[in-house]
Amino acid sequence: MMEEVKETASVLSVHDDSIKVTEVLKDGDTLTFIIVSQKLSGTGEYHVDRTYEDFEWLQQHLFSQGDVPGIQGVIFPPLPAKPQVNASPRSIKQLGFLALGECQPYCKALETFLQQVAAHSILSKNKAVEVFLTSSDPPGRQKVKKNIFNRLSQAVEEMRKEGHKDVDEFFQNERDHNLVLTGCTKTAAEKFLDVVATEQKIAVACGHFSTALHLCVEPGEDPDKQAFSRVCVKLSEVFESIKKNMTSVAENNVNTLGLGLDLESRYQEAEREMLFRRTCKLVELENARRNVEKAKPVKKAAMEEVKKAAETEFEHTSGVAKQEIARFQGARVEMLQQALVGWCEKQLLTAKESADQFNQHLEVFRGMA
Amino acid sequence: MATSSERSPPPFPDSEDQDVLDAEEVRGRDSDEDEDLFGSTSTSPVTEMDTTPTSDVSMKPPSDIMNDPLIEPMSSQTGNKPASEPSDDFFDLTNNVSVVAAAATKSDDFVDILGSETGAQRGEVVKADVTVEATIDRSEVTAGVIDPLSQQEAKQTSTAPVIDLSGDSQPVTSKIADPLVDLFSDAPPAAEAKKPSSANVDLFDDEEGSDIFAEPLQTKPAKQPQKSLFGEPDEDVFGEPLGAISKKPVPKELKEKSVTTKVTAGGPLQDSKPADIFSQAAASTPSVTSTVNSKTNGVHSEEDGDIFAAEATVELSLDSPRNERKKEATAKPSAPAPTSLTAAASLAKPQPPALEELEEEEEEEEEDKFDIFVSVKDPEKIGDGMNAYMAYKVSTQTTLPMFRNKTFTVRRRFSDFLGLYEKLSEKHGPNGFIVPPPPEKSLLGMTKVKVGKEDSSSTDFVERRRGALERYLQRVVNHPSLLQDPDVREFLEREELPRAVSTQALSGAGFLKMINKATDAVSKMTIKMNESDVWFEEKLQEVESADQQFRKLHALVESLVVHRKELSLNTASFAKSAAMLGSAEDNTALSRALSQLAEVEDKMEQLHQEQAASDTFTFAEMIADYIRLLGAVRGSFDHRMKAWQRWQDAQSMLQKKRETEAKLLWANKPDKLQLAKEEIAEWEAKVTQYERDFERVSATVRKEVIRFEREKTKNCKRQVITYLECLLQSQQQLIKYWEAFLPEAKAIA
């Protein structure tokens, strides 16, 4: 993928994999993200600050590039939902993993989004990407309502067209499969989120317990009392490390598999959207064909033209879509594998560290006897 | 110690001098008093043989004893039997049982065996043993009275034999840092001399109620003489105030007495204890036993129970290590004569561990380690509807010989546990003991169990309660004084327990307690106890703050447990969705990895569940226990205050009486004056007694609180260690799971 980008996209002057969202600045209700990327030429870096609105602007530009054939067949890298400073429970639920922690997961998600866009053979050619990544001026802060409107209308149409029978078995299969996977991934991500949330709760509870144990310490010279105090203090330390263990387990979960599942589920969404767009084109084309058949001779030529246009568009879309799907399947397996391996390694490390720590505590306790 | 030994044996004024003398005396007495009973046996040549080694031994310098440190524990173990020697002839007979001691004194069949053995052997070891015993005799007599301490004391005396011989009383009495000391010093010498006897009588009152003694006993006649022998029991000194303390000396006395009956009965011993040492002994000297048998033929069947009881009571006062040693000791001499040398060798061998145990014992001081484990298992719902109740299997595993078997199991329902507590707290509470409380009756939990089917919350409830009951019982049997209580033994051993006092009253116990607490609070407010002892004031405050902290901790742990359970549930559902995702996945490698992931998560769910259980049972339940126990501690403080109040009331009453006397004096009414004087004397006595009561209760409370705190620390440490071990184990398990999963994840691509 990357190779391809380099060959074709001289437009983009940065390394796609060097794009980082390094920092997030909070100013009232708006969050500003600092994006750093390395120049292809030389060693310099671009530093730009972007708000979420800028990201929306970018995505909108990507959606609406009419001049690219088969753009509807592209699986657009999904942009995470808008972050909330004072998040309501609903928006937290919508954000899922990205709402956890101190914005790091969210930054990571944005970073992935940008990298995916920059690495995309078609999307990276868009001027907007270059502008977004390199221009020191914020690209258009005007609100783009269209995107939301699009999605809304889509939701209505969806009901009608989602079930439309496909002419191509490949796409029919892909659609069915995507439907199942989307559901499964979503549930899995949600459940995993629950696990993480509980782990965080446990960590907090351990912290409380540890603090409370510290209060049990009784002053006094009495050796019995001192012995008990020692036990309390030590136990408090034990719970402190249990807390640390839990916290890092939860963190690992979020940063690896959590993000992975989240991305996967958003990507499945994106694929579904793409497939839907293609289905819409298919419906359009079928309508055009019917129109041609039904059309009066006077209008036949015009209809024929419309049909032709629709046909080419559909073919383009299908062609791109096929490529995209193939690419996506490879990419997501790789992504999931990375997530799983990273997760496993991190958890293993944490478990080993904790085991070490517990062992030390245990030795101390045994020594106390 | 020795003081009492000196006093207690009026029949043997020379008891503290030489054992030879003792033995001779005893023999004389034996033949005098028991002639009719023992007849020919007492005059048997064996006795002569016996005395010879004994005299040798007594001549031997104490250095002999010191030479072989291994012998020390041995002496302490056998010591307590000869201890009885000086007190009277019945006790002498006891010595037969502990064979070595018997060598010094005895004239019956068991001695016979022993005698022959010693005769054949004449080894240094045996002699040394005997000497040590002789030395120990004195110290042990007193030790018998204050039993739990006796061990250390015995040890002390044995390590310093010279002092023992001259006047062992000093080290011993000084060693007893115990409320008993007061009693002893307070009591007039004469009373002290009678102590064992009065204790004995007490014991009878005590024990006769229990089923062991309930059977008609041939021993009765034997008991009677004893009672009469000791004359009027000195109730004032020993009676009521002694309470639980008197129970310690009691068993030994009882044993000595019952052993007497045993010996008079002769045969039954052999018959009733088929696997016993004595039967062995009997087998090795069939002729003697047979004579005894014939003598007592009719008797033994009835006596069986009693002998058991005697056996049981004997060891009641002994700590487990010593019991074992005693067994060893008895087992050895019972071996046939030819093997006596090897027997002696085997005696030497078991010593080192015994010694260690002794040292350990000394280290732990009053923290008696009882070799008894109680488990509560198999909760079972009996009956249906609201009349249903839970029954538990109470299994005891013990090497304590006070119990008939090593392991036994009974079935108890929950209210029986409460009943036991009620009995114990009634008996021991006022004395300042901290009686471990059982889990409360829970209407809600039990109703769930009664009504609901098998759902997780009710099984959880039952399991928690089972654990709580187990710990409660274990605490009871770990308490040195409570273990001695006949009700405890009955609870553990007896097949059918009379239904505990109306359960309704018990379930109302909480309500009653509430009322009690309210009145206590009122009395606390009205009576400003001017605390003379800062220690108690501080402790009470500590207990109260500890109570609050424990409550807080409990709430925290409970919430932690809730989260853990939630985690386990969530992990389970994640595992399920991972499995679904895996099955939906097209990519085979990914699909396999995902279903592996599901399996790993399933296992983790198990781990989380175990962790939740571990949290619950190691911390939550432990803390809940301590909240209950702290209540008991406070209860003991209340009892102390009540004793104080009683004392104060008596004092003010005395003051009033004095005033009336003064008035009467003024009014010049001689007739009434006399009455007033009597009343004053009466109240003065009461005041002193109450004061002493108060001091005794204070001392007990103090000791108990210290014991409680030490136990608390120890227990906490132990729990933490178990918890950490569990944690570590689950962490290692986790590592294993991850390590197994890693290659799967890597294999995707």
Side-chain angles (χ1 to χ4, degrees):
Chain A
M1 227 57 260
M2 225 175 72
E3 295 299 305
E4 206 182 328
V5 172
K6 270 178 193 159
E7 285 164 21
T8 55
S10 51
V11 259
L12 209 57
S13 58
V14 296
H15 283 291
D16 54 68
D17 56 350
S18 70
I19 300 168
K20 294 270 181 297
V21 177
T22 53
E23 232 180 307
V24 57
L25 302 171
K26 201 183 276 180
D27 176 27
D29 273 355
T30 45
L31 294 171
T32 311
F33 304 93
I34 308 293
I35 297 153
V36 179
S37 51
Q38 274 186 352
K39 291 174 183 171
L40 275 178
S41 55
T43 51
E45 277 181 348
Y46 288 109
H47 287 250
V48 291
D49 58 318
R50 297 283 178 261
T51 59
Y52 185 77
E53 281 71 29
D54 298 329
F55 281 93
E56 278 187 328
W57 170 85
L58 173 63
Q59 203 187 29
Q60 205 46 52
H61 269 269
L62 295 178
F63 281 154
S64 54
Q65 29 188 339
D67 52 338
V68 182
I71 187 70
Q72 303 288 0
V74 170
I75 300 174
F76 290 101
L79 180 67
K82 186 176 164 61
Q84 303 284 322
V85 177
N86 299 309
S88 62
R90 215 181 117 254
S91 73
I92 285 181
K93 198 167 179 336
Q94 199 188 357
L95 276 172
F97 280 99
L98 306 181
L100 295 172
E102 291 282 310
C103 297
Q104 287 101 328
Y106 194 81
C107 291
K108 195 97 184 101
L110 285 181
E111 197 176 295
T112 323
F113 166 73
L114 288 179
Q115 285 176 3
Q116 298 282 350
V117 170
H120 200 280
S121 54
I122 300 168
L123 300 180
S124 59
K125 284 177 191 145
N126 194 307
K127 282 271 184 300
V129 182
E130 174 73 14
V131 169
F132 183 89
L133 288 174
T134 56
S135 163
S136 55
D137 294 327
R141 286 262 156 103
Q142 75 273 32
K143 276 245 170 190
V144 199
K145 288 276 176 220
K146 211 181 165 197
N147 179 25
I148 297 159
F149 174 74
N150 265 356
R151 292 199 173 184
L152 261 174
S153 60
Q154 189 182 302
V156 178
E157 275 179 90
E158 212 164 340
M159 307 303 289
R160 214 148 40 83
K161 293 182 185 164
E162 188 101 275
H164 189 86
K165 185 102 179 69
D166 213 299
V167 288
D168 191 332
E169 205 183 321
F170 170 80
F171 281 105
Q172 185 62 48
N173 279 347
E174 192 56 34
R175 272 165 62 188
D176 293 346
H177 186 221
N178 170 264
L179 206 61
V180 176
L181 265 189
T182 311
C184 284
T185 322
K186 216 174 179 151
T187 348
E190 271 166 17
K191 298 292 176 201
F192 197 59
L193 182 62
D194 286 346
V195 170
V196 171
T198 322
E199 277 165 354
Q200 284 174 336
K201 275 193 230 163
I202 289 176
V204 171
C206 284
H208 286 322
F209 189 62
S210 160
T211 326
L213 273 171
H214 255 297
L215 298 177
C216 278
V217 173
E218 296 164 348
E221 260 89 86
D222 186 7
D224 283 343
K225 239 186 267 172
Q226 278 183 339
F228 183 67
S229 296
R230 267 206 309 277
V231 170
C232 283
V233 171
K234 217 44 225 162
L235 187 60
S236 151
E237 280 170 31
V238 169
F239 269 87
E240 196 58 44
S241 39
I242 295 177
K243 178 193 163 187
K244 273 194 200 125
N245 169 36
M246 263 304 161
T247 319
S248 53
V249 164
E251 241 166 54
N252 293 342
N253 283 344
V254 173
N255 289 335
T256 55
L257 191 61
L259 277 181
L261 284 174
D262 178 69
L263 184 64
E264 162 79 357
S265 109
R266 278 184 294 128
Y267 248 110
Q268 294 285 1
E269 266 324 312
E271 192 200 1
R272 189 162 144 214
E273 272 168 32
M274 183 277 283
L275 288 169
F276 173 70
R277 285 193 301 267
R278 195 194 141 270
T279 315
C280 289
K281 291 279 170 234
L282 176 65
V283 174
E284 229 171 81
L285 174 64
E286 279 171 2
N287 283 345
R289 276 190 189 137
R290 235 173 288 140
N291 285 346
V292 170
E293 278 164 27
K294 279 189 244 161
K296 293 181 177 119
V298 194
K299 282 185 179 175
K300 192 130 192 170
M303 286 298 175
E304 202 68 48
E305 212 135 288
V306 171
K307 195 197 96 177
K308 270 256 162 66
E311 223 158 37
T312 30
E313 204 181 348
F314 177 70
E315 260 153 38
H316 274 298
T317 307
S318 289
V320 172
K322 243 180 196 158
Q323 272 179 29
E324 280 283 289
I325 287 168
R327 189 189 66 93
F328 169 66
Q329 293 298 3
R332 67 176 276 274
V333 169
E334 197 185 333
M335 189 273 293
L336 276 180
Q337 189 224 9
Q338 268 172 11
L340 282 174
V341 170
W343 181 52
C344 200
E345 276 167 351
K346 277 199 170 174
Q347 297 294 42
L348 198 55
L349 196 71
T350 307
K352 276 179 177 160
E353 272 170 11
S354 304
D356 253 13
Q357 242 169 5
F358 294 154
N359 207 10
Q360 275 170 22
H361 286 305
L362 189 58
E363 287 311 310
V364 170
F365 267 101
R366 282 193 178 133
M368 270 164 86
Chain B
M1 268 327 189
T3 49
S4 93
S5 81
E6 281 158 43
R7 284 161 195 157
S8 57
F12 311 109
D14 48 346
S15 61
E16 35 168 319
D17 293 333
Q18 300 125 355
D19 279 44
V20 197
L21 266 186
D22 245 338
E24 237 125 33
E25 268 278 347
V26 168
R27 259 206 299 152
R29 291 199 67 88
D30 266 350
S31 36
D32 284 349
E33 295 196 0
D34 300 332
E35 211 143 35
D36 8 46
L37 285 169
F38 284 100
S40 55
T41 14
S42 61
T43 50
S44 80
V46 182
T47 23
E48 236 119 68
M49 256 175 66
D50 295 344
T51 37
T52 341
T54 329
S55 55
D56 280 357
V57 165
S58 49
M59 297 316 189
K60 273 209 175 346
S63 62
D64 203 350
I65 310 150
M66 291 312 287
N67 285 345
D68 192 353
L70 296 184
I71 291 159
E72 281 173 34
M74 159 67 188
S75 58
S76 64
Q77 60 189 251
T78 32
N80 67 331
K81 266 144 246 155
S84 50
E85 245 177 78
S87 26
D88 77 347
D89 48 338
F90 287 117
F91 298 160
D92 290 345
L93 297 178
T94 328
N95 295 332
N96 298 341
V97 184
S98 78
V99 187
V100 200
T105 42
K106 269 318 89 79
S107 59
D108 80 58
D109 48 329
F110 295 113
V111 182
D112 224 350
I113 308 153
L114 210 232
S116 59
E117 176 191 326
T118 21
Q121 193 179 334
R122 302 244 162 173
E124 284 275 309
V125 191
V126 172
K127 282 177 198 165
D129 285 354
V130 175
T131 341
V132 177
E133 272 146 40
T135 332
I136 297 302
D137 280 357
R138 273 61 140 295
S139 61
E140 276 299 283
V141 173
T142 9
V145 182
I146 316 155
D147 167 64
L149 298 176
S150 67
Q151 233 174 336
Q152 299 153 238
E153 283 146 26
K155 212 202 159 193
Q156 269 243 326
T157 34
S158 58
T159 42
V162 193
I163 308 167
D164 292 345
L165 281 168
S166 51
D168 22 340
S169 56
Q170 273 78 9
V172 177
T173 10
S174 61
K175 254 220 96 173
I176 316 166
D178 193 341
L180 269 182
V181 178
D182 304 340
L183 280 169
F184 280 122
S185 48
D186 283 353
E192 264 181 52
K194 273 172 195 158
K195 250 175 229 161
S197 61
S198 61
N200 226 335
V201 176
D202 268 5
L203 174 77
F204 274 105
D205 297 343
D206 245 310
E207 295 286 64
E208 254 159 1
S210 73
D211 62 329
I212 309 161
F213 281 85
E215 308 150 47
L217 295 178
Q218 186 76 19
T219 35
K220 288 265 155 111
K223 279 179 207 159
Q224 253 88 53
Q226 228 191 7
K227 269 183 193 160
S228 61
L229 186 81
F230 288 119
E232 329 81 353
D234 204 330
E235 296 286 8
D236 291 340
V237 188
F238 239 73
E240 185 247 327
L242 199 60
I245 304 159
S246 74
K247 251 160 226 152
K248 285 174 207 156
V250 165
K252 197 164 288 164
E253 305 302 328
L254 171 71
K255 155 230 160 188
E256 281 146 9
K257 177 232 74 218
S258 26
V259 167
T260 321
T261 60
K262 195 197 293 172
V263 173
T264 27
L269 245 194
Q270 168 212 355
D271 286 301
S272 53
K273 297 195 99 198
D276 200 283
I277 316 133
F278 295 116
S279 64
Q280 262 188 326
S284 62
T285 54
S287 58
V288 186
T289 348
S290 62
T291 50
V292 180
N293 251 340
S294 61
K295 222 187 288 168
T296 53
N297 242 348
V299 177
H300 64 87
S301 55
E302 285 123 299
E303 287 228 328
D304 277 359
D306 186 47
I307 282 151
F308 274 128
E311 284 292 306
T313 7
V314 172
E315 274 110 359
L316 200 67
S317 54
L318 303 176
D319 293 340
S320 57
R322 207 211 265 163
N323 288 327
E324 279 154 35
R325 267 174 272 137
K326 188 206 118 197
K327 265 189 213 147
E328 283 160 20
T330 19
K332 174 219 59 187
S334 66
T339 59
S340 58
L341 252 174
T342 45
S346 74
L347 162 78
K349 264 179 227 151
Q351 294 313 315
L355 188 66
E356 274 165 36
E357 270 173 306
L358 248 185
E359 271 163 4
E360 214 176 345
E361 199 89 2
E362 205 174 35
E363 251 175 38
E364 290 180 11
E365 285 178 325
E366 63 233 281
E367 296 200 28
D368 325 55
K369 270 260 173 279
F370 295 107
D371 201 358
I372 176 164
F373 297 98
V374 183
S375 59
V376 176
K377 282 179 293 204
D378 300 343
E380 189 188 359
K381 191 169 123 180
I382 292 181
D384 278 317
M386 287 319 279
N387 287 325
Y389 63 89
M390 294 301 291
Y392 304 85
K393 227 182 228 171
V394 179
S395 303
T396 313
Q397 233 189 330
T398 179
T399 52
L400 289 190
M402 65 182 271
F403 296 102
R404 270 178 244 185
N405 300 312
K406 282 220 179 355
T407 52
F408 40 87
T409 304
V410 288
R411 226 169 166 54
R412 294 282 175 262
R413 55 180 293 179
F414 182 65
S415 55
D416 293 335
F417 288 86
L418 293 182
L420 176 67
Y421 170 70
E422 294 291 311
K423 280 186 204 160
L424 290 178
S425 64
E426 225 167 81
K427 262 190 270 183
H428 300 280
N431 288 322
F433 283 107
I434 300 171
V435 181
E440 296 87 3
K441 201 155 189 154
S442 155
L443 268 184
L444 183 71
M446 202 47 208
T447 313
K448 261 190 192 165
V449 172
K450 278 173 182 168
V451 177
K453 300 124 225 145
E454 301 290 307
D455 77 317
S456 71
S457 80
S458 78
T459 47
D460 188 55
F461 167 78
V462 168
E463 175 57 20
R464 273 185 183 219
R465 171 170 275 183
R466 186 205 62 75
L469 287 174
E470 186 171 295
R471 286 189 306 276
Y472 153 68
L473 275 189
Q474 191 61 47
R475 282 206 174 87
V476 168
V477 298
N478 276 346
H479 195 290
S481 313
L482 296 182
L483 177 61
Q484 312 298 332
D485 195 285
D487 280 327
V488 173
R489 217 155 12 106
E490 191 174 83
F491 181 86
L492 294 178
E493 265 190 324
R494 200 166 152 180
E495 209 48 62
E496 284 293 319
L497 209 60
R499 186 88 155 68
V501 235
S502 103
T503 328
Q504 248 60 38
L506 283 169
S507 40
F511 179 62
L512 277 180
K513 240 177 241 162
M514 227 164 64
I515 292 177
N516 275 343
K517 269 195 188 129
T519 51
D520 278 350
V522 169
S523 67
K524 243 178 232 162
M525 269 189 281
T526 49
I527 309 164
K528 272 276 176 282
M529 177 170 178
N530 51 336
E531 185 60 85
S532 51
D533 202 334
V534 196
W535 188 88
F536 281 100
E537 209 166 3
E538 281 176 3
K539 272 292 167 224
L540 190 62
Q541 266 174 6
E542 271 172 31
V543 164
E544 254 149 40
S545 73
D547 183 63
Q548 284 195 337
Q549 264 150 10
F550 273 124
R551 273 171 208 280
K552 200 172 150 200
L553 286 182
H554 189 250
L556 287 173
V557 179
E558 286 290 348
S559 76
L560 180 63
V561 169
V562 168
H563 292 323
R564 290 250 198 233
K565 284 185 179 156
E566 194 185 308
L567 178 60
S568 137
L569 279 181
N570 286 340
T571 312
S573 59
F574 174 60
K576 217 175 280 168
S577 57
M580 270 171 52
L581 187 61
S583 66
E585 179 59 53
D586 266 353
N587 186 306
T588 26
L590 185 58
S591 165
R592 220 185 58 200
L594 283 172
S595 30
Q596 287 287 333
L597 170 67
E599 267 174 46
V600 169
E601 288 294 321
D602 262 334
K603 283 180 202 154
M604 269 182 214
E605 184 230 331
Q606 205 57 41
L607 275 188
H608 291 320
Q609 221 165 41
E610 278 161 23
Q611 194 57 51
S614 161
D615 278 1
T616 310
F617 288 106
T618 25
F619 284 119
E621 289 299 273
M622 177 182 82
I623 292 169
D625 274 7
Y626 275 105
I627 291 172
R628 278 196 287 269
L629 277 169
L630 282 172
V633 172
R634 249 192 293 190
S636 75
F637 278 101
D638 287 349
H639 280 302
R640 176 174 167 272
M641 203 161 72
K642 273 178 200 152
W644 182 82
Q645 208 178 321
R646 205 161 48 147
W647 173 34
Q648 294 302 308
D649 288 350
Q651 248 177 351
S652 61
M653 187 56 106
L654 178 63
Q655 195 58 38
K656 263 184 219 156
K657 296 284 175 205
R658 284 210 172 112
E659 274 162 21
T660 15
E661 188 206 17
K663 267 183 212 155
L664 288 171
L665 208 63
W666 186 255
N668 199 11
K669 285 180 181 162
D671 46 338
K672 283 186 184 169
L673 199 61
Q674 188 53 38
L675 191 71
K677 276 202 169 113
E678 273 166 26
E679 274 184 345
I680 284 173
E682 182 193 324
W683 278 99
E684 270 171 348
K686 270 188 188 164
V687 165
T688 15
Q689 204 207 309
Y690 288 157
E691 186 180 358
R692 217 179 286 155
D693 277 2
F694 170 67
E695 263 148 28
R696 187 174 46 77
V697 171
S698 295
T700 318
V701 169
R702 191 191 270 257
K703 218 173 78 181
E704 285 279 290
V705 168
I706 289 173
R707 180 179 182 274
F708 165 78
E709 286 187 337
R710 201 168 291 163
E711 285 283 307
K712 180 176 81 176
T713 310
K714 251 173 60 180
N715 191 17
C716 283
K717 215 184 293 171
R718 213 171 30 230
Q719 293 286 347
V720 172
I721 288 177
T722 1
Y723 182 75
L724 273 174
E725 277 167 355
C726 169
L727 208 59
L728 191 61
Q729 210 187 348
S730 77
Q731 208 60 236
Q732 274 157 355
Q733 202 63 45
L734 209 59
I735 292 176
K736 260 186 224 158
Y737 293 157
W738 287 124
E739 273 170 353
F741 182 64
L742 191 55
E744 291 287 339
K746 280 185 173 159
I748 296 172

